[in-house]
Amino acid sequence: VDTRWSSTLLMISRALELEIPIDTYLSQPDSGLEKYELSKAEWDVLRKFEKILQIPHAFQQVLSYEKTPTLGYTIPLFQAIIQRFKTLKTTMPEASDIIQEGLDKLEDY
């Protein structure tokens, strides 16, 4: 299954922007939608995923420039993304396993 990390990031970011209206809509009495309401902990997890996914997204954006040669940026950006993930592991130890999955995937390349 192909995963579109940027699409996932953009979806999460939009949901976080709309957190209050989403909660308001889903919590309406007798709507039958209460079961889909996210808890505070679930919203917090989305914020963490957003922070993690912003890293590869930013680098993907740089490497996707149409009118600028980007081949020369590839290795330095690759090294920078690894460093950013390692730094994030220390600042977000609760997400260390998830971040490590990203680092392991980068090692495949």
Side-chain angles (χ1 to χ4, degrees), residues 18 21 25-26 32 34 50 55 65 70 73 76 81-82 93 95 103 107:
L18 298 171
Y25 182 76
L26 293 177
E34 298 90 357
E50 180 186 41
I55 295 171
Y65 292 150
T70 59
Y73 298 144
I81 195 172
I82 290 171
L103 285 167
E107 286 180 14

Side-chain angles (χ1 to χ4, degrees), residues 4-67:
R4 306 289 183 231
W5 300 111
S6 288
S7 297
T8 303
L9 169 66
L10 296 173
M11 179 185 62
I12 290 170
S13 294
R14 181 56 55 99
L16 290 171
E17 286 176 30
L18 298 171
E19 178 179 354
I20 293 171
I22 289 171
D23 276 345
T24 301
Y25 182 76
L26 293 177
S27 65
Q28 291 180 11
D30 301 323
S31 69
L33 300 174
E34 298 90 357
K35 63 185 174 186
Y36 300 111
E37 193 173 358
L38 297 179
S39 67
K40 181 184 177 331
E42 290 169 322
W43 284 111
D44 289 343
V45 167
L46 284 177
R47 282 189 245 314
K48 289 175 185 169
F49 275 117
E50 180 186 41
K51 192 170 187 175
I52 292 167
L53 291 174
Q54 284 172 344
I55 295 171
H57 177 73
F59 290 100
Q60 176 186 315
Q61 293 300 104
V62 170
L63 292 174
S64 297
Y65 292 150
E66 288 186 21
K67 296 183 180 186

